[in-house]
Coordinates of all heavy atoms in Angstrom, one line a residue:
M872 N -20.5 16.7 11.5 CA -19.8 15.5 11.0 C -20.0 15.6 9.5 O -21.1 15.7 9.0 CB -20.4 14.2 11.6 CG -19.6 13.0 11.2 SD -20.2 11.4 11.8 CE -20.2 11.6 13.5
V873 N -18.9 15.4 8.8 CA -19.0 15.4 7.3 C -19.6 14.1 6.8 O -19.6 13.1 7.5 CB -17.6 15.6 6.7 CG1 -17.1 17.0 7.0 CG2 -16.6 14.6 7.1
A874 N -20.0 14.1 5.6 CA -20.7 12.9 5.0 C -19.8 11.6 5.1 O -20.3 10.5 5.3 CB -21.2 13.2 3.6
T875 N -18.5 11.8 4.8 CA -17.7 10.6 4.8 C -17.6 10.0 6.2 O -17.6 8.8 6.3 CB -16.3 11.0 4.2 OG1 -15.7 12.1 4.9 CG2 -16.3 11.2 2.8
E876 N -17.5 10.9 7.2 CA -17.4 10.4 8.5 C -18.7 9.7 9.0 O -18.7 8.8 9.7 CB -17.0 11.5 9.5 CG -15.6 12.0 9.3 CD -15.2 13.1 10.3 OE1 -16.1 13.6 11.0 OE2 -14.0 13.5 10.3
Q877 N -19.8 10.2 8.4 CA -21.1 9.6 8.7 C -21.1 8.2 8.1 O -21.6 7.2 8.7 CB -22.3 10.4 8.2 CG -22.5 11.7 8.9 CD -23.5 12.6 8.3 OE1 -23.8 12.5 7.1 NE2 -24.1 13.4 9.1
L878 N -20.6 8.0 6.9 CA -20.5 6.7 6.3 C -19.6 5.8 7.1 O -19.9 4.6 7.4 CB -19.9 6.8 4.9 CG -19.6 5.5 4.1 CD1 -20.9 4.7 4.0 CD2 -19.0 5.7 2.8
F879 N -18.4 6.3 7.6 CA -17.5 5.5 8.4 C -18.3 5.0 9.7 O -18.2 3.8 10.1 CB -16.3 6.2 8.8 CG -15.4 6.8 7.6 CD1 -14.6 7.8 7.8 CD2 -15.5 6.2 6.4 CE1 -13.8 8.3 6.8 CE2 -14.7 6.6 5.3 CZ -13.9 7.7 5.5
A880 N -19.0 5.9 10.3 CA -19.7 5.6 11.5 C -20.8 4.6 11.3 O -21.0 3.6 12.1 CB -20.3 6.9 12.1
R881 N -21.5 4.7 10.1 CA -22.5 3.7 9.8 C -21.9 2.3 9.6 O -22.4 1.3 10.1 CB -23.2 4.1 8.5 CG -24.2 3.1 8.0 CD -25.5 3.2 8.8 NE -26.5 2.4 8.1 CZ -27.1 1.3 8.7 NH1 -26.9 1.0 9.9 NH2 -28.0 0.6 8.0
L882 N -20.8 2.2 8.9 CA -20.1 0.9 8.8 C -19.6 0.4 10.1 O -19.7 -0.8 10.4 CB -18.9 1.0 7.8 CG -19.3 1.1 6.3 CD1 -18.1 1.6 5.5 CD2 -19.9 -0.2 5.8
L883 N -19.0 1.2 10.9 CA -18.5 0.8 12.2 C -19.6 0.2 13.1 O -19.4 -0.6 14.0 CB -17.8 1.9 12.9 CG -16.4 2.3 12.4 CD1 -16.0 3.7 12.9 CD2 -15.4 1.2 12.7
T884 N -20.8 0.7 13.0 CA -21.9 0.3 13.8 C -23.0 -0.6 13.1 O -24.0 -0.9 13.7 CB -22.7 1.6 14.4 OG1 -23.2 2.3 13.3 CG2 -21.8 2.4 15.2
F885 N -22.6 -1.0 11.9 CA -23.5 -1.9 11.1 C -23.8 -3.1 11.9 O -22.9 -3.7 12.5 CB -22.9 -2.2 9.8 CG -23.9 -2.5 8.7 CD1 -24.7 -1.6 8.2 CD2 -24.0 -3.8 8.2 CE1 -25.7 -1.9 7.2 CE2 -24.9 -4.2 7.2 CZ -25.7 -3.2 6.7
P886 N -25.0 -3.6 11.9 CA -25.4 -4.7 12.8 C -24.9 -6.1 12.4 O -25.1 -7.1 13.1 CB -26.9 -4.7 12.8 CG -27.3 -4.0 11.5 CD -26.2 -3.0 11.3
I887 N -24.3 -6.2 11.2 CA -23.7 -7.5 10.8 C -22.3 -7.3 10.4 O -21.9 -6.1 10.1 CB -24.5 -8.2 9.6 CG1 -24.6 -7.2 8.4 CG2 -25.9 -8.5 10.1 CD1 -25.2 -7.9 7.2
P888 N -21.4 -8.3 10.5 CA -20.0 -8.1 10.1 C -19.9 -7.7 8.7 O -20.6 -8.2 7.8 CB -19.4 -9.5 10.4 CG -20.3 -10.1 11.3 CD -21.7 -9.6 11.0
T889 N -18.9 -6.8 8.4 CA -18.6 -6.4 7.1 C -17.1 -6.7 6.7 O -16.3 -6.7 7.6 CB -18.9 -4.9 6.9 OG1 -18.0 -4.1 7.8 CG2 -20.3 -4.5 7.1
V890 N -16.9 -6.9 5.4 CA -15.5 -7.3 5.0 C -15.2 -6.3 3.9 O -15.9 -6.1 2.9 CB -15.5 -8.7 4.5 CG1 -14.1 -9.0 4.0 CG2 -15.8 -9.7 5.6
A891 N -14.0 -5.7 3.9 CA -13.4 -4.9 2.8 C -12.4 -5.8 2.1 O -11.5 -6.3 2.7 CB -12.8 -3.6 3.4
A892 N -12.6 -6.0 0.8 CA -11.6 -6.7 0.0 C -10.9 -5.7 -0.9 O -11.5 -5.2 -1.8 CB -12.3 -7.8 -0.8
V893 N -9.7 -5.4 -0.6 CA -8.9 -4.4 -1.3 C -8.1 -5.1 -2.4 O -7.2 -5.9 -2.1 CB -8.0 -3.6 -0.4 CG1 -7.2 -2.6 -1.1 CG2 -8.8 -2.9 0.7
G894 N -8.4 -4.8 -3.6 CA -7.8 -5.5 -4.8 C -6.5 -4.8 -5.3 O -5.9 -5.3 -6.2
G895 N -6.2 -3.6 -4.8 CA -5.1 -2.8 -5.3 C -4.7 -1.8 -4.3 O -4.6 -2.0 -3.1
R896 N -4.5 -0.6 -4.8 CA -4.1 0.6 -4.0 C -5.3 1.1 -3.2 O -6.4 1.2 -3.7 CB -3.5 1.7 -4.9 CG -2.2 1.2 -5.6 CD -1.7 2.4 -6.4 NE -0.4 2.0 -6.9 CZ -0.1 1.9 -8.2 NH1 -1.0 2.3 -9.1 NH2 1.1 1.5 -8.6
V897 N -5.0 1.5 -2.0 CA -6.0 2.2 -1.2 C -5.2 3.4 -0.5 O -4.2 3.2 0.2 CB -6.7 1.2 -0.2 CG1 -5.7 0.6 0.8 CG2 -7.8 1.9 0.5
F898 N -5.7 4.6 -0.7 CA -5.1 5.8 -0.2 C -6.1 6.6 0.5 O -7.3 6.6 0.2 CB -4.4 6.6 -1.4 CG -3.1 6.0 -1.8 CD1 -3.0 4.8 -2.5 CD2 -2.0 6.7 -1.7 CE1 -1.8 4.3 -2.9 CE2 -0.7 6.3 -2.1 CZ -0.7 5.0 -2.8
A899 N -5.6 7.4 1.5 CA -6.4 8.5 2.1 C -7.7 8.0 2.6 O -7.8 7.1 3.5 CB -6.5 9.7 1.2
G900 N -8.8 8.6 2.2 CA -10.1 8.3 2.6 C -10.5 6.8 2.3 O -11.3 6.2 3.0
G901 N -9.9 6.3 1.3 CA -10.1 4.8 1.0 C -9.6 3.9 2.1 O -10.2 2.9 2.4
V902 N -8.5 4.3 2.7 CA -7.9 3.6 3.8 C -8.9 3.6 5.0 O -9.3 2.6 5.6 CB -6.6 4.1 4.3 CG1 -6.1 3.5 5.6 CG2 -5.5 4.0 3.2
M903 N -9.4 4.8 5.3 CA -10.4 4.9 6.4 C -11.7 4.2 6.1 O -12.3 3.6 7.0 CB -10.6 6.4 6.6 CG -9.4 7.1 7.2 SD -9.6 8.8 7.5 CE -8.6 9.4 6.1
L904 N -12.1 4.2 4.8 CA -13.3 3.4 4.4 C -13.1 1.9 4.7 O -13.9 1.3 5.3 CB -13.7 3.7 3.0 CG -14.9 2.9 2.4 CD1 -16.1 3.3 3.2 CD2 -15.1 3.2 0.9
A905 N -11.9 1.4 4.2 CA -11.6 0.0 4.4 C -11.5 -0.3 5.9 O -12.1 -1.3 6.3 CB -10.3 -0.3 3.7
L906 N -10.9 0.5 6.7 CA -10.7 0.3 8.1 C -12.0 0.4 8.9 O -12.0 0.0 10.1 CB -9.6 1.1 8.7 CG -8.2 0.9 8.1 CD1 -7.2 1.8 8.8 CD2 -7.8 -0.6 8.3
S907 N -13.0 0.9 8.3 CA -14.3 1.0 9.0 C -15.1 -0.3 9.0 O -16.1 -0.5 9.6 CB -15.2 2.1 8.2 OG -14.6 3.3 8.4
H908 N -14.5 -1.3 8.2 CA -15.1 -2.6 8.2 C -14.5 -3.5 9.3 O -13.5 -3.2 9.9 CB -14.8 -3.3 6.8 CG -15.5 -2.7 5.7 ND1 -15.2 -1.4 5.2 CD2 -16.6 -3.1 5.0 CE1 -16.0 -1.2 4.2 NE2 -16.9 -2.1 4.0
D909 N -15.2 -4.6 9.6 CA -14.8 -5.5 10.6 C -13.5 -6.3 10.3 O -12.7 -6.6 11.1 CB -15.9 -6.5 11.0 CG -17.1 -5.7 11.5 OD1 -17.0 -5.0 12.5 OD2 -18.2 -5.8 10.9
V910 N -13.4 -6.6 9.0 CA -12.3 -7.4 8.5 C -11.8 -6.7 7.2 O -12.6 -6.4 6.3 CB -12.6 -8.8 8.2 CG1 -11.5 -9.6 7.6 CG2 -13.2 -9.5 9.5
V911 N -10.5 -6.5 7.1 CA -9.9 -6.0 5.8 C -8.9 -7.0 5.3 O -8.0 -7.4 5.9 CB -9.2 -4.6 6.1 CG1 -8.6 -4.1 4.8 CG2 -10.1 -3.7 6.8
L912 N -9.2 -7.4 4.0 CA -8.3 -8.3 3.3 C -7.7 -7.5 2.1 O -8.4 -6.7 1.5 CB -9.1 -9.5 2.8 CG -9.9 -10.3 3.8 CD1 -10.7 -11.4 3.1 CD2 -8.9 -10.9 4.8
M913 N -6.5 -7.8 1.8 CA -5.9 -7.1 0.7 C -5.1 -8.0 -0.2 O -4.4 -9.0 0.4 CB -4.9 -6.0 1.3 CG -4.5 -4.9 0.4 SD -3.7 -3.6 1.4 CE -2.9 -2.7 0.0
R914 N -5.1 -7.8 -1.4 CA -4.4 -8.6 -2.4 C -2.9 -8.5 -2.1 O -2.3 -7.4 -2.0 CB -4.7 -8.2 -3.8 CG -4.1 -9.1 -4.8 CD -4.7 -8.8 -6.2 NE -3.8 -9.3 -7.2 CZ -4.0 -9.2 -8.5 NH1 -5.1 -8.6 -8.9 NH2 -3.2 -9.7 -9.4
A915 N -2.2 -9.7 -1.9 CA -0.9 -9.7 -1.4 C 0.2 -9.3 -2.5 O 1.2 -8.8 -2.1 CB -0.5 -11.1 -1.0
D916 N -0.1 -9.5 -3.7 CA 0.9 -9.3 -4.8 C 1.0 -8.0 -5.4 O 1.8 -7.7 -6.2 CB 0.7 -10.4 -5.9 CG -0.6 -10.3 -6.6 OD1 -1.6 -9.8 -6.0 OD2 -0.6 -10.6 -7.8
R917 N 0.0 -7.1 -5.1 CA 0.0 -5.8 -5.7 C -0.7 -4.8 -4.8 O -1.5 -5.1 -4.0 CB -0.5 -5.8 -7.1 CG -2.0 -6.1 -7.2 CD -2.5 -6.1 -8.6 NE -3.5 -5.1 -8.8 CZ -4.3 -5.0 -9.8 NH1 -4.1 -5.9 -10.8 NH2 -5.2 -4.1 -9.9
G918 N -0.5 -3.5 -5.1 CA -1.2 -2.5 -4.4 C -0.4 -2.0 -3.1 O 0.5 -2.7 -2.6
F919 N -0.9 -0.9 -2.6 CA -0.3 -0.3 -1.4 C -1.4 0.3 -0.6 O -2.5 0.7 -1.1 CB 0.7 0.8 -1.8 CG 1.9 0.3 -2.5 CD1 1.9 0.2 -3.9 CD2 3.0 -0.2 -1.8 CE1 3.0 -0.3 -4.6 CE2 4.1 -0.7 -2.5 CZ 4.1 -0.8 -3.9
L920 N -1.1 0.5 0.7 CA -1.9 1.3 1.6 C -1.1 2.5 2.0 O 0.0 2.4 2.4 CB -2.2 0.3 2.8 CG -3.1 0.9 3.9 CD1 -3.9 -0.2 4.5 CD2 -2.3 1.6 5.0
C921 N -1.8 3.7 2.0 CA -1.0 4.9 2.3 C -2.0 6.0 2.8 O -3.1 6.1 2.2 CB -0.2 5.4 1.1 SG 0.8 6.8 1.4
L922 N -1.6 6.7 3.8 CA -2.3 7.9 4.2 C -1.4 9.1 3.9 O -0.5 9.5 4.6 CB -2.5 7.9 5.7 CG -3.5 6.8 6.2 CD1 -3.5 6.7 7.7 CD2 -4.9 7.2 5.7
P923 N -1.5 9.7 2.7 CA -0.6 10.7 2.2 C -0.9 12.1 2.7 O -0.4 13.1 2.3 CB -0.8 10.7 0.7 CG -2.2 10.3 0.5 CD -2.5 9.3 1.6
E924 N -1.9 12.2 3.7 CA -2.3 13.5 4.2 C -1.1 14.4 4.6 O -1.0 15.6 4.4 CB -3.3 13.4 5.3 CG -4.7 13.1 4.8 CD -4.9 11.6 4.5 OE1 -4.0 10.8 4.5 OE2 -6.1 11.2 4.2
V925 N -0.1 13.7 5.3 CA 1.1 14.4 5.8 C 1.8 15.1 4.6 O 2.3 16.2 4.8 CB 2.0 13.5 6.7 CG1 2.6 12.4 5.8 CG2 3.0 14.4 7.4
D926 N 1.9 14.4 3.5 CA 2.6 14.9 2.4 C 1.9 16.0 1.7 O 2.4 16.9 1.0 CB 3.0 13.8 1.4 CG 3.9 12.8 2.0 OD1 4.8 13.2 2.7 OD2 3.7 11.6 1.7
L927 N 0.5 16.0 1.8 CA -0.3 17.0 1.1 C -0.7 18.2 2.0 O -1.3 19.1 1.6 CB -1.6 16.3 0.7 CG -1.5 15.1 -0.3 CD1 -2.8 14.4 -0.5 CD2 -0.9 15.6 -1.6
G928 N -0.3 18.1 3.3 CA -0.6 19.2 4.2 C -2.0 19.2 4.7 O -2.5 20.2 5.1
V929 N -2.7 18.1 4.6 CA -4.1 17.9 5.0 C -4.1 17.5 6.5 O -3.3 16.6 6.9 CB -4.8 16.9 4.2 CG1 -6.2 16.6 4.7 CG2 -4.8 17.3 2.7
V930 N -4.9 18.1 7.3 CA -5.0 17.8 8.7 C -6.2 16.8 8.9 O -7.3 17.0 8.4 CB -5.3 19.0 9.5 CG1 -5.5 18.7 11.0 CG2 -4.2 20.0 9.3
F931 N -5.9 15.7 9.6 CA -7.0 14.7 10.0 C -8.0 15.4 10.9 O -7.6 16.1 11.8 CB -6.4 13.5 10.7 CG -5.5 12.6 9.8 CD1 -4.2 12.6 10.0 CD2 -6.1 11.8 8.9 CE1 -3.4 11.8 9.2 CE2 -5.3 11.0 8.1 CZ -3.9 11.0 8.2
T932 N -9.3 15.2 10.6 CA -10.3 15.7 11.5 C -10.3 14.8 12.8 O -9.7 13.7 12.8 CB -11.7 15.5 10.9 OG1 -12.0 14.1 10.7 CG2 -11.8 16.2 9.5
P933 N -10.9 15.3 13.9 CA -10.9 14.5 15.1 C -11.5 13.1 14.9 O -11.1 12.1 15.4 CB -11.7 15.4 16.1 CG -11.5 16.8 15.6 CD -11.4 16.7 14.1
G934 N -12.6 13.1 14.0 CA -13.2 11.8 13.8 C -12.3 10.8 13.0 O -12.3 9.6 13.3
M935 N -11.6 11.3 12.0 CA -10.6 10.5 11.3 C -9.5 10.0 12.2 O -9.2 8.8 12.2 CB -10.1 11.3 10.1 CG -11.0 11.6 9.0 SD -10.3 12.7 7.8 CE -11.6 12.9 6.7
T936 N -9.0 10.9 13.1 CA -8.0 10.5 14.0 C -8.5 9.4 15.0 O -7.8 8.5 15.2 CB -7.5 11.7 14.8 OG1 -6.9 12.7 13.8 CG2 -6.4 11.4 15.8
A937 N -9.7 9.6 15.4 CA -10.3 8.6 16.4 C -10.4 7.3 15.7 O -10.1 6.2 16.3 CB -11.6 9.1 16.9
L938 N -10.9 7.2 14.4 CA -11.0 6.0 13.7 C -9.7 5.3 13.5 O -9.5 4.1 13.9 CB -11.7 6.2 12.3 CG -11.6 5.1 11.3 CD1 -12.4 3.9 11.8 CD2 -12.1 5.5 10.0
L939 N -8.7 6.0 13.0 CA -7.4 5.5 12.7 C -6.7 5.0 14.0 O -6.1 3.9 14.0 CB -6.5 6.5 11.9 CG -7.1 6.8 10.5 CD1 -6.3 8.0 10.0 CD2 -6.9 5.6 9.6
T940 N -6.7 5.7 15.0 CA -6.0 5.3 16.2 C -6.8 4.2 17.0 O -6.1 3.5 17.8 CB -5.7 6.5 17.2 OG1 -7.0 7.2 17.5 CG2 -4.8 7.5 16.5
A941 N -8.0 4.1 16.7 CA -8.8 3.0 17.4 C -8.5 1.6 16.7 O -8.6 0.6 17.4 CB -10.3 3.3 17.3
V942 N -8.2 1.6 15.4 CA -8.0 0.4 14.7 C -6.5 0.0 14.5 O -6.2 -1.1 14.1 CB -8.8 0.3 13.4 CG1 -10.3 0.4 13.7 CG2 -8.3 1.3 12.4
M943 N -5.6 0.9 14.8 CA -4.2 0.7 14.6 C -3.4 0.7 15.9 O -3.8 1.5 16.8 CB -3.6 1.8 13.7 CG -4.0 1.7 12.3 SD -2.9 2.9 11.3 CE -4.0 3.4 10.1
T944 N -2.4 0.0 16.0 CA -1.5 0.1 17.1 C -0.8 1.5 17.0 O -0.7 2.1 16.0 CB -0.3 -0.9 17.1 OG1 0.5 -0.7 15.9 CG2 -0.9 -2.4 17.0
P945 N -0.3 2.0 18.1 CA 0.4 3.3 18.1 C 1.6 3.3 17.1 O 1.8 4.3 16.4 CB 1.0 3.5 19.5 CG 0.0 2.7 20.4 CD -0.4 1.5 19.5
A946 N 2.3 2.2 16.9 CA 3.4 2.1 16.0 C 2.9 2.2 14.5 O 3.5 2.9 13.7 CB 4.2 0.9 16.2
A947 N 1.8 1.5 14.2 CA 1.2 1.5 12.9 C 0.7 2.9 12.6 O 0.8 3.4 11.5 CB 0.2 0.5 12.8
A948 N 0.0 3.5 13.6 CA -0.6 4.9 13.4 C 0.6 5.9 13.1 O 0.4 6.7 12.3 CB -1.4 5.3 14.6
H949 N 1.7 5.8 13.8 CA 2.8 6.7 13.6 C 3.4 6.5 12.2 O 3.6 7.5 11.5 CB 3.9 6.4 14.7 CG 5.0 7.3 14.6 ND1 6.2 7.0 13.9 CD2 5.2 8.6 15.1 CE1 7.0 8.1 14.0 NE2 6.4 9.0 14.7
R950 N 3.6 5.3 11.8 CA 4.2 5.1 10.5 C 3.3 5.6 9.4 O 3.7 6.1 8.4 CB 4.4 3.6 10.2 CG 5.7 3.1 10.8 CD 6.2 1.8 10.2 NE 6.6 1.9 8.8 CZ 6.8 0.8 8.1 NH1 6.7 -0.4 8.6 NH2 7.2 0.9 6.9
T951 N 1.9 5.4 9.5 CA 1.0 5.8 8.4 C 0.6 7.3 8.6 O 0.6 8.0 7.6 CB -0.2 4.9 8.4 OG1 -0.8 4.9 9.7 CG2 0.2 3.5 8.0
M952 N 0.2 7.7 9.7 CA -0.4 9.0 9.9 C 0.7 10.1 10.0 O 0.5 11.2 9.5 CB -1.3 9.1 11.1 CG -2.5 8.2 11.1 SD -3.4 8.2 12.7 CE -4.1 9.8 12.6
I953 N 1.8 9.9 10.6 CA 2.8 10.9 10.8 C 3.9 10.8 9.7 O 4.3 11.8 9.2 CB 3.5 10.7 12.2 CG1 2.5 10.7 13.3 CG2 4.6 11.8 12.4 CD1 1.6 12.0 13.4
L954 N 4.3 9.6 9.4 CA 5.4 9.5 8.4 C 4.9 9.3 7.0 O 5.7 9.4 6.0 CB 6.3 8.3 8.8 CG 7.0 8.4 10.1 CD1 7.8 7.1 10.4 CD2 7.8 9.6 10.3
G955 N 3.6 9.0 6.8 CA 3.0 8.8 5.5 C 3.6 7.6 4.8 O 3.7 7.6 3.5
A956 N 4.0 6.6 5.5 CA 4.6 5.4 4.9 C 3.6 4.7 3.9 O 2.4 4.7 4.1 CB 4.9 4.4 6.0
R957 N 4.2 4.3 2.8 CA 3.4 3.5 1.8 C 3.7 2.1 2.0 O 4.9 1.6 1.8 CB 3.9 4.0 0.4 CG 3.2 3.4 -0.7 CD 3.6 4.0 -2.0 NE 3.6 3.1 -3.1 CZ 3.8 3.4 -4.3 NH1 4.0 4.6 -4.7 NH2 3.7 2.5 -5.2
L958 N 2.7 1.3 2.4 CA 2.9 -0.1 2.9 C 2.3 -1.1 1.8 O 1.2 -0.9 1.4 CB 2.2 -0.3 4.2 CG 2.6 0.6 5.4 CD1 1.7 0.4 6.5 CD2 4.1 0.5 5.7
S959 N 3.1 -2.1 1.6 CA 2.5 -3.2 0.8 C 1.5 -4.0 1.7 O 1.5 -3.8 2.9 CB 3.6 -4.2 0.4 OG 4.2 -4.8 1.5
A960 N 0.7 -4.9 1.1 CA -0.2 -5.7 1.9 C 0.5 -6.5 2.9 O 0.0 -6.5 4.1 CB -1.1 -6.5 0.9
P961 N 1.6 -7.2 2.6 CA 2.3 -8.0 3.6 C 2.8 -7.1 4.8 O 2.7 -7.5 6.0 CB 3.4 -8.7 2.9 CG 2.9 -8.8 1.5 CD 2.1 -7.5 1.3
E962 N 3.2 -5.9 4.5 CA 3.7 -5.0 5.5 C 2.5 -4.5 6.4 O 2.6 -4.5 7.6 CB 4.4 -3.8 4.9 CG 5.7 -4.0 4.3 CD 6.3 -2.9 3.5 OE1 5.5 -2.2 2.8 OE2 7.5 -2.6 3.7
A963 N 1.4 -4.2 5.7 CA 0.2 -3.8 6.5 C -0.3 -4.9 7.4 O -0.8 -4.6 8.5 CB -0.9 -3.3 5.5
A964 N -0.3 -6.1 6.9 CA -0.7 -7.3 7.7 C 0.2 -7.5 8.9 O -0.2 -7.7 10.0 CB -0.8 -8.5 6.8
A965 N 1.5 -7.3 8.6 CA 2.5 -7.5 9.7 C 2.3 -6.5 10.8 O 2.6 -6.8 12.0 CB 3.9 -7.4 9.2
L966 N 1.9 -5.3 10.4 CA 1.6 -4.2 11.4 C 0.2 -4.3 12.1 O -0.1 -3.5 12.9 CB 1.7 -2.8 10.8 CG 3.2 -2.4 10.5 CD1 3.2 -1.1 9.6 CD2 3.9 -2.1 11.8
G967 N -0.6 -5.3 11.6 CA -1.9 -5.5 12.1 C -2.9 -4.5 11.6 O -4.0 -4.4 12.1
I968 N -2.6 -3.7 10.5 CA -3.5 -2.8 10.0 C -4.7 -3.5 9.2 O -5.8 -3.1 9.3 CB -2.8 -1.8 9.1 CG1 -1.8 -1.0 9.9 CG2 -3.8 -0.8 8.4 CD1 -0.9 -0.1 9.1
I969 N -4.3 -4.5 8.5 CA -5.3 -5.3 7.8 C -5.2 -6.7 8.4 O -4.2 -7.1 9.0 CB -5.0 -5.4 6.3 CG1 -3.7 -6.1 6.0 CG2 -5.1 -4.0 5.7 CD1 -3.5 -6.4 4.5
A970 N -6.3 -7.5 8.2 CA -6.3 -8.9 8.7 C -5.4 -9.8 8.0 O -4.7 -10.6 8.7 CB -7.8 -9.4 8.7
E971 N -5.3 -9.7 6.7 CA -4.5 -10.6 6.0 C -4.2 -10.1 4.6 O -5.0 -9.5 3.9 CB -5.3 -12.0 5.8 CG -4.6 -13.1 5.3 CD -5.4 -14.4 5.3 OE1 -6.4 -14.5 6.0 OE2 -4.9 -15.4 4.6
A972 N -3.0 -10.4 4.1 CA -2.6 -10.2 2.7 C -2.9 -11.6 2.0 O -2.3 -12.6 2.3 CB -1.2 -9.8 2.6
V973 N -3.8 -11.6 1.0 CA -4.3 -12.8 0.4 C -3.7 -13.0 -1.0 O -3.8 -12.1 -1.8 CB -5.8 -12.8 0.4 CG1 -6.4 -14.1 -0.2 CG2 -6.4 -12.5 1.7
P974 N -3.1 -14.1 -1.2 CA -2.7 -14.4 -2.6 C -3.8 -14.4 -3.6 O -4.9 -14.7 -3.3 CB -2.1 -15.8 -2.5 CG -1.8 -16.1 -1.1 CD -2.8 -15.3 -0.3
L975 N -3.5 -14.0 -4.8 CA -4.6 -13.8 -5.9 C -5.4 -15.1 -6.0 O -6.6 -15.1 -6.1 CB -3.9 -13.4 -7.2 CG -4.9 -13.3 -8.4 CD1 -6.0 -12.3 -8.2 CD2 -4.1 -13.0 -9.7
E976 N -4.7 -16.2 -6.0 CA -5.4 -17.5 -6.3 C -6.4 -17.9 -5.2 O -7.3 -18.7 -5.3 CB -4.5 -18.7 -6.5 CG -3.4 -18.9 -5.5 CD -2.2 -18.0 -5.6 OE1 -2.1 -17.2 -6.5 OE2 -1.3 -18.2 -4.8
D977 N -6.3 -17.3 -4.0 CA -7.2 -17.5 -2.9 C -8.3 -16.5 -2.9 O -9.2 -16.6 -2.1 CB -6.4 -17.4 -1.5 CG -5.5 -18.6 -1.4 OD1 -5.5 -19.6 -2.2 OD2 -4.6 -18.5 -0.5

């Protein structure tokens, strides 16, 4: 297991709830890091979530695939992992990838 996957596993099994607060763009491994938390909040008015591996010709490891497919619906996994869709926070929330798109003032 690579070091990044060990970090994801540690967060997934951490004995207390964890929250990822995404203030802007989150791409590739940053998406997986965020999704390793129990709750993911993202600023609603700016930033994107994207898994550009498909555009870069990078193959997801079995561990990465397991993480992503465990926390996403099949439709969301298809849009992000296969199509490389770049999603705004409201779009990611609508797909259930993140818990909530939060306005800046909140």
